[in-house]
Amino acid sequence: MAIGDLERVPNCTDLYYLDTGMYDTEAYGSVYIVDADRPAVVDTGIGTNREFLFDALDEVGIGEEDLEYILPTHIHLDHAGGAGFLADRYPNATVMTHDIGVPHLVDPSRLVAGTKAAVDDQWQFYVDPKPVPEDRIEGLEGGETIDLGDRELAVVHAPGHAPHQVMFHDTGDDVLFTGDAAGIWIPSERKVRQTTPPSQFDLEQCLDDASTIVDRDPDVLCFGHFGPLDFGEELMDGYKRTLVEWVEAVRQKRDELEDDDAVIEYFQNHTDMVETWGEQKARDEERLNVKGVLGYLDYREEE
Protein backbone atom coordinates (compact mmCIF):
# COMPACT_ATOMS: atom_id res chain seq x y z
CA MET A 1 0.00 0.00 0.00
CA ALA A 2 1.36 3.43 -0.99
CA ILE A 3 0.41 7.05 -0.41
CA GLY A 4 -3.01 7.72 -1.91
CA ASP A 5 -4.01 4.06 -2.07
CA LEU A 6 -7.47 2.95 -0.95
CA GLU A 7 -7.99 -0.57 0.41
CA ARG A 8 -10.87 -2.53 1.87
CA VAL A 9 -10.65 -3.41 5.54
CA PRO A 10 -10.59 -7.24 5.44
CA ASN A 11 -13.66 -9.16 6.65
CA CYS A 12 -15.66 -5.95 7.15
CA THR A 13 -18.76 -4.68 5.39
CA ASP A 14 -18.16 -1.78 2.96
CA LEU A 15 -15.34 -0.34 5.04
CA TYR A 16 -12.24 1.19 3.44
CA TYR A 17 -9.04 2.88 4.57
CA LEU A 18 -6.86 5.43 2.80
CA ASP A 19 -3.16 6.21 3.17
CA THR A 20 -3.28 10.02 3.31
CA GLY A 21 0.48 10.51 2.86
CA MET A 22 0.63 12.39 6.16
CA TYR A 23 4.02 14.09 6.67
CA ASP A 24 5.02 12.66 3.25
CA THR A 25 5.35 9.31 5.04
CA GLU A 26 3.84 6.03 3.84
CA ALA A 27 1.82 3.96 6.31
CA TYR A 28 1.52 6.76 8.86
CA GLY A 29 -1.89 8.42 8.48
CA SER A 30 -5.13 6.58 7.74
CA VAL A 31 -8.69 7.76 7.19
CA TYR A 32 -11.68 5.41 7.11
CA ILE A 33 -14.69 5.47 4.79
CA VAL A 34 -17.84 3.70 5.98
CA ASP A 35 -20.04 3.10 2.93
CA ALA A 36 -23.20 2.64 4.97
CA ASP A 37 -26.77 3.65 4.10
CA ARG A 38 -25.78 6.96 5.71
CA PRO A 39 -22.09 7.16 4.76
CA ALA A 40 -19.42 8.43 7.14
CA VAL A 41 -15.75 9.34 7.21
CA VAL A 42 -13.85 8.58 10.43
CA ASP A 43 -10.95 11.02 10.90
CA THR A 44 -9.98 13.41 8.13
CA GLY A 45 -6.19 13.73 7.95
CA ILE A 46 -4.43 17.07 8.19
CA GLY A 47 -6.19 18.49 5.15
CA THR A 48 -3.04 18.87 3.05
CA ASN A 49 -3.79 15.87 0.83
CA ARG A 50 -7.56 16.21 0.96
CA GLU A 51 -7.81 15.48 -2.78
CA PHE A 52 -6.83 11.88 -2.00
CA LEU A 53 -9.87 11.60 0.26
CA PHE A 54 -12.17 13.30 -2.22
CA ASP A 55 -10.98 10.87 -4.93
CA ALA A 56 -11.42 7.91 -2.57
CA LEU A 57 -15.01 8.89 -1.80
CA ASP A 58 -15.64 9.17 -5.54
CA GLU A 59 -14.10 5.73 -6.06
CA VAL A 60 -16.33 4.18 -3.41
CA GLY A 61 -19.35 5.88 -5.02
CA ILE A 62 -20.18 8.43 -2.33
CA GLY A 63 -21.21 11.64 -4.08
CA GLU A 64 -21.02 15.20 -2.82
CA GLU A 65 -24.67 15.11 -1.71
CA ASP A 66 -24.40 11.67 -0.10
CA LEU A 67 -21.89 11.93 2.75
CA GLU A 68 -23.80 12.26 6.03
CA TYR A 69 -21.17 12.23 8.79
CA ILE A 70 -17.64 13.51 9.33
CA LEU A 71 -16.32 11.94 12.55
CA PRO A 72 -12.96 13.12 13.89
CA THR A 73 -11.94 10.92 16.81
CA HIS A 74 -10.33 14.03 18.33
CA ILE A 75 -9.34 17.50 17.24
CA HIS A 76 -5.57 17.14 16.90
CA LEU A 77 -5.04 18.40 13.38
CA ASP A 78 -3.63 15.11 12.08
CA HIS A 79 -7.13 13.72 12.73
CA ALA A 80 -9.39 16.76 12.28
CA GLY A 81 -7.48 19.19 10.07
CA GLY A 82 -9.50 18.21 7.01
CA ALA A 83 -12.93 18.49 8.66
CA GLY A 84 -13.73 21.98 7.40
CA PHE A 85 -12.65 21.14 3.85
CA LEU A 86 -14.85 18.04 3.89
CA ALA A 87 -17.80 20.00 5.29
CA ASP A 88 -17.38 22.55 2.50
CA ARG A 89 -17.33 19.94 -0.27
CA TYR A 90 -20.05 17.69 1.20
CA PRO A 91 -22.86 20.10 2.17
CA ASN A 92 -25.17 17.54 3.77
CA ALA A 93 -22.58 16.11 6.14
CA THR A 94 -22.66 16.78 9.88
CA VAL A 95 -19.37 16.97 11.77
CA MET A 96 -19.50 15.19 15.13
CA THR A 97 -16.71 15.31 17.70
CA HIS A 98 -16.32 15.63 21.46
CA ASP A 99 -17.95 18.68 23.08
CA ILE A 100 -14.55 20.02 24.16
CA GLY A 101 -13.38 20.11 20.56
CA VAL A 102 -16.41 21.72 18.94
CA PRO A 103 -15.46 25.40 19.49
CA HIS A 104 -11.92 24.71 18.27
CA LEU A 105 -13.15 23.40 14.92
CA VAL A 106 -15.56 26.32 14.56
CA ASP A 107 -12.72 28.77 15.29
CA PRO A 108 -9.40 26.92 14.78
CA SER A 109 -7.12 29.85 15.70
CA ARG A 110 -6.13 28.54 19.15
CA LEU A 111 -5.86 25.01 17.81
CA VAL A 112 -3.49 26.19 15.10
CA ALA A 113 -1.35 28.14 17.57
CA GLY A 114 -1.13 25.16 19.91
CA THR A 115 -0.30 22.79 17.07
CA LYS A 116 2.48 25.03 15.77
CA ALA A 117 3.99 25.18 19.25
CA ALA A 118 3.78 21.39 19.62
CA VAL A 119 4.94 20.19 16.20
CA ASP A 120 7.53 22.91 15.45
CA ASP A 121 9.18 22.14 12.08
CA GLN A 122 6.49 19.62 11.17
CA TRP A 123 4.08 22.51 10.52
CA GLN A 124 5.47 22.59 6.96
CA PHE A 125 3.32 19.51 6.25
CA TYR A 126 0.09 21.13 7.50
CA VAL A 127 -2.36 23.55 5.96
CA ASP A 128 -4.41 26.12 7.88
CA PRO A 129 -7.71 24.36 8.62
CA LYS A 130 -10.97 25.65 7.23
CA PRO A 131 -13.48 26.53 9.99
CA VAL A 132 -16.48 24.25 10.34
CA PRO A 133 -19.74 26.24 10.26
CA GLU A 134 -21.37 26.26 13.68
CA ASP A 135 -24.66 24.94 12.32
CA ARG A 136 -22.85 21.93 10.80
CA ILE A 137 -21.23 20.51 13.93
CA GLU A 138 -22.57 18.59 16.93
CA GLY A 139 -20.87 17.69 20.21
CA LEU A 140 -20.46 14.26 21.75
CA GLU A 141 -19.74 13.17 25.32
CA GLY A 142 -19.55 9.39 25.01
CA GLY A 143 -22.44 6.99 25.40
CA GLU A 144 -24.30 8.18 22.30
CA THR A 145 -25.17 6.04 19.28
CA ILE A 146 -24.77 7.33 15.72
CA ASP A 147 -27.29 5.76 13.32
CA LEU A 148 -25.79 5.00 9.90
CA GLY A 149 -28.92 3.24 8.68
CA ASP A 150 -27.65 -0.31 8.19
CA ARG A 151 -25.34 -0.14 11.23
CA GLU A 152 -24.68 1.91 14.34
CA LEU A 153 -21.61 3.45 15.90
CA ALA A 154 -21.34 3.53 19.68
CA VAL A 155 -19.41 6.57 20.95
CA VAL A 156 -16.82 5.78 23.64
CA HIS A 157 -14.96 8.53 25.51
CA ALA A 158 -11.20 7.84 25.63
CA PRO A 159 -9.53 10.88 27.23
CA GLY A 160 -5.98 9.65 27.92
CA HIS A 161 -4.34 10.83 24.72
CA ALA A 162 -6.44 14.00 24.84
CA PRO A 163 -9.60 14.86 26.82
CA HIS A 164 -11.48 15.49 23.55
CA GLN A 165 -10.90 11.99 22.17
CA VAL A 166 -13.63 9.45 21.47
CA MET A 167 -13.62 6.06 19.81
CA PHE A 168 -16.36 4.77 17.50
CA HIS A 169 -17.47 1.14 17.83
CA ASP A 170 -19.30 -0.47 14.92
CA THR A 171 -20.89 -3.26 16.92
CA GLY A 172 -22.26 -4.98 13.80
CA ASP A 173 -18.89 -5.89 12.27
CA ASP A 174 -17.31 -5.42 15.71
CA VAL A 175 -14.83 -2.80 14.50
CA LEU A 176 -13.40 -0.19 16.87
CA PHE A 177 -12.04 3.06 15.43
CA THR A 178 -9.45 3.91 18.06
CA GLY A 179 -8.03 7.29 17.05
CA ASP A 180 -4.84 7.30 19.15
CA ALA A 181 -6.23 5.44 22.17
CA ALA A 182 -4.51 2.18 21.18
CA GLY A 183 -1.20 3.77 20.18
CA ILE A 184 0.44 3.80 16.76
CA TRP A 185 0.41 0.52 14.84
CA ILE A 186 3.56 0.05 12.73
CA PRO A 187 2.68 -2.61 10.12
CA SER A 188 6.26 -3.10 8.92
CA GLU A 189 7.49 -3.56 12.49
CA ARG A 190 4.45 -5.55 13.69
CA LYS A 191 4.36 -3.53 16.90
CA VAL A 192 2.46 -0.73 18.62
CA ARG A 193 4.38 2.40 19.61
CA GLN A 194 3.48 5.07 22.11
CA THR A 195 1.89 8.37 21.20
CA THR A 196 2.27 10.86 24.08
CA PRO A 197 2.11 14.39 22.65
CA PRO A 198 1.74 17.63 24.58
CA SER A 199 -0.11 19.13 26.17
CA GLN A 200 -2.73 16.84 27.69
CA PHE A 201 -1.24 13.32 27.67
CA ASP A 202 -2.26 11.46 30.84
CA LEU A 203 -0.64 8.08 31.54
CA GLU A 204 -3.26 6.77 33.96
CA GLN A 205 -6.10 7.72 31.64
CA CYS A 206 -4.28 6.09 28.69
CA LEU A 207 -3.99 2.87 30.66
CA ASP A 208 -7.71 3.09 31.46
CA ASP A 209 -8.47 3.61 27.75
CA ALA A 210 -6.50 0.47 26.88
CA SER A 211 -8.55 -1.42 29.48
CA THR A 212 -11.74 -0.04 27.92
CA ILE A 213 -10.65 -1.46 24.57
CA VAL A 214 -10.04 -4.85 26.18
CA ASP A 215 -13.47 -4.74 27.84
CA ARG A 216 -15.14 -4.04 24.50
CA ASP A 217 -13.20 -6.93 22.93
CA PRO A 218 -13.68 -5.93 19.26
CA ASP A 219 -12.70 -8.16 16.38
CA VAL A 220 -10.81 -5.40 14.56
CA LEU A 221 -9.00 -2.24 15.62
CA CYS A 222 -8.83 0.58 13.07
CA PHE A 223 -5.85 2.73 14.05
CA GLY A 224 -5.50 6.36 13.02
CA HIS A 225 -1.82 5.47 12.61
CA PHE A 226 -1.89 3.13 10.69
CA GLY A 227 -4.56 0.85 9.35
CA PRO A 228 -6.62 -2.12 10.58
CA LEU A 229 -5.45 -5.01 12.76
CA ASP A 230 -7.17 -8.02 14.29
CA PHE A 231 -7.57 -7.41 18.00
CA GLY A 232 -6.03 -9.50 20.76
CA GLU A 233 -5.94 -8.74 24.48
CA GLU A 234 -2.18 -9.27 24.49
CA LEU A 235 -1.86 -6.30 22.12
CA MET A 236 -3.28 -3.90 24.71
CA ASP A 237 -1.33 -5.56 27.51
CA GLY A 238 1.79 -4.88 25.48
CA TYR A 239 0.75 -1.30 24.83
CA LYS A 240 0.27 -0.70 28.55
CA ARG A 241 3.81 -1.95 29.19
CA THR A 242 5.12 0.22 26.38
CA LEU A 243 3.51 3.33 27.86
CA VAL A 244 4.73 2.67 31.40
CA GLU A 245 8.27 1.85 30.26
CA TRP A 246 8.37 4.90 27.98
CA VAL A 247 7.30 7.32 30.71
CA GLU A 248 9.80 5.77 33.11
CA ALA A 249 12.61 6.03 30.54
CA VAL A 250 11.94 9.74 30.06
CA ARG A 251 11.70 10.29 33.82
CA GLN A 252 15.02 8.58 34.44
CA LYS A 253 16.76 10.48 31.67
CA ARG A 254 15.43 13.78 33.04
CA ASP A 255 16.79 12.88 36.49
CA GLU A 256 20.16 12.09 34.89
CA LEU A 257 20.51 15.09 32.60
CA GLU A 258 18.50 17.70 34.53
CA ASP A 259 17.83 19.60 31.30
CA ASP A 260 14.68 19.06 29.23
CA ASP A 261 16.25 20.10 25.94
CA ALA A 262 19.03 17.58 26.54
CA VAL A 263 16.44 14.90 27.29
CA ILE A 264 14.63 15.60 24.01
CA GLU A 265 17.91 15.57 22.08
CA TYR A 266 18.94 12.28 23.68
CA PHE A 267 15.79 10.47 22.54
CA GLN A 268 15.96 12.07 19.09
CA ASN A 269 19.53 10.81 18.70
CA HIS A 270 18.59 7.30 19.83
CA THR A 271 15.37 6.77 17.85
CA ASP A 272 15.03 3.35 16.24
CA MET A 273 12.45 4.48 13.65
CA VAL A 274 14.70 6.10 11.01
CA GLU A 275 14.51 3.16 8.60
CA THR A 276 10.71 3.05 8.96
CA TRP A 277 9.76 6.74 8.85
CA GLY A 278 12.90 8.50 7.62
CA GLU A 279 15.20 10.57 9.79
CA GLN A 280 13.15 13.77 9.91
CA LYS A 281 9.83 12.14 10.86
CA ALA A 282 11.49 9.79 13.34
CA ARG A 283 13.26 12.63 15.13
CA ASP A 284 10.15 14.82 15.07
CA GLU A 285 8.06 12.01 16.55
CA GLU A 286 10.51 11.46 19.40
CA ARG A 287 10.56 15.19 20.15
CA LEU A 288 6.77 15.38 20.32
CA ASN A 289 6.40 12.30 22.49
CA VAL A 290 9.14 13.32 24.92
CA LYS A 291 7.63 16.79 25.32
CA GLY A 292 4.28 15.21 26.16
CA VAL A 293 5.80 13.04 28.87
CA LEU A 294 7.79 15.93 30.33
CA GLY A 295 4.58 17.95 30.58
CA TYR A 296 2.82 15.02 32.23
CA LEU A 297 5.66 14.63 34.76
CA ASP A 298 5.47 18.35 35.57
CA TYR A 299 1.75 18.05 36.15
CA ARG A 300 2.17 15.04 38.42
CA GLU A 301 4.79 16.88 40.48
CA GLU A 302 2.41 19.81 40.99
CA GLU A 303 -0.38 17.63 42.34
Side-chain angles (χ1 to χ4, degrees), residues 34 91 162 167 208 267:
V34 187
M167 302 182 290
D208 287 347
F267 284 100

mmCIF file of all heavy atoms in Angstrom, residues 34 91 162 167 208 267:
data_model
loop_
_atom_site.group_PDB
_atom_site.id
_atom_site.type_symbol
_atom_site.label_atom_id
_atom_site.label_comp_id
_atom_site.label_asym_id
_atom_site.label_seq_id
_atom_site.Cartn_x
_atom_site.Cartn_y
_atom_site.Cartn_z
ATOM 1 N N VAL A 34 -16.797 4.680 5.670
ATOM 2 C CA VAL A 34 -17.836 3.695 5.984
ATOM 3 C C VAL A 34 -18.950 3.895 4.961
ATOM 4 O O VAL A 34 -19.707 4.865 5.024
ATOM 5 C CB VAL A 34 -18.371 3.887 7.417
ATOM 6 C CG1 VAL A 34 -19.319 2.739 7.772
ATOM 7 C CG2 VAL A 34 -17.227 3.970 8.430
ATOM 8 N N PRO A 91 -22.011 19.142 1.439
ATOM 9 C CA PRO A 91 -22.859 20.104 2.168
ATOM 10 C C PRO A 91 -23.903 19.476 3.077
ATOM 11 O O PRO A 91 -24.470 20.175 3.918
ATOM 12 C CB PRO A 91 -23.527 20.897 1.036
ATOM 13 C CG PRO A 91 -23.520 19.967 -0.143
ATOM 14 C CD PRO A 91 -22.252 19.194 -0.017
ATOM 15 N N ALA A 162 -5.943 12.619 24.798
ATOM 16 C CA ALA A 162 -6.443 13.997 24.844
ATOM 17 C C ALA A 162 -7.856 13.941 25.399
ATOM 18 O O ALA A 162 -8.601 13.000 25.090
ATOM 19 C CB ALA A 162 -6.444 14.637 23.452
ATOM 20 N N MET A 167 -13.719 7.167 20.755
ATOM 21 C CA MET A 167 -13.623 6.059 19.812
ATOM 22 C C MET A 167 -15.024 5.773 19.272
ATOM 23 O O MET A 167 -16.023 6.114 19.909
ATOM 24 C CB MET A 167 -13.049 4.811 20.482
ATOM 25 C CG MET A 167 -11.671 5.009 21.094
ATOM 26 S SD MET A 167 -10.963 3.501 21.833
ATOM 27 C CE MET A 167 -12.023 3.293 23.283
ATOM 28 N N ASP A 208 -6.277 3.363 31.341
ATOM 29 C CA ASP A 208 -7.713 3.089 31.457
ATOM 30 C C ASP A 208 -8.343 2.909 30.074
ATOM 31 O O ASP A 208 -9.219 2.038 29.887
ATOM 32 C CB ASP A 208 -8.417 4.220 32.200
ATOM 33 C CG ASP A 208 -8.119 4.215 33.702
ATOM 34 O OD1 ASP A 208 -7.583 3.219 34.203
ATOM 35 O OD2 ASP A 208 -8.420 5.244 34.353
ATOM 36 N N PHE A 267 16.708 11.431 23.150
ATOM 37 C CA PHE A 267 15.795 10.471 22.538
ATOM 38 C C PHE A 267 15.730 10.647 21.021
ATOM 39 O O PHE A 267 15.554 9.664 20.290
ATOM 40 C CB PHE A 267 14.419 10.566 23.185
ATOM 41 C CG PHE A 267 14.366 9.931 24.541
ATOM 42 C CD1 PHE A 267 14.440 10.709 25.695
ATOM 43 C CD2 PHE A 267 14.263 8.559 24.672
ATOM 44 C CE1 PHE A 267 14.403 10.126 26.950
ATOM 45 C CE2 PHE A 267 14.233 7.960 25.935
ATOM 46 C CZ PHE A 267 14.310 8.747 27.074
#
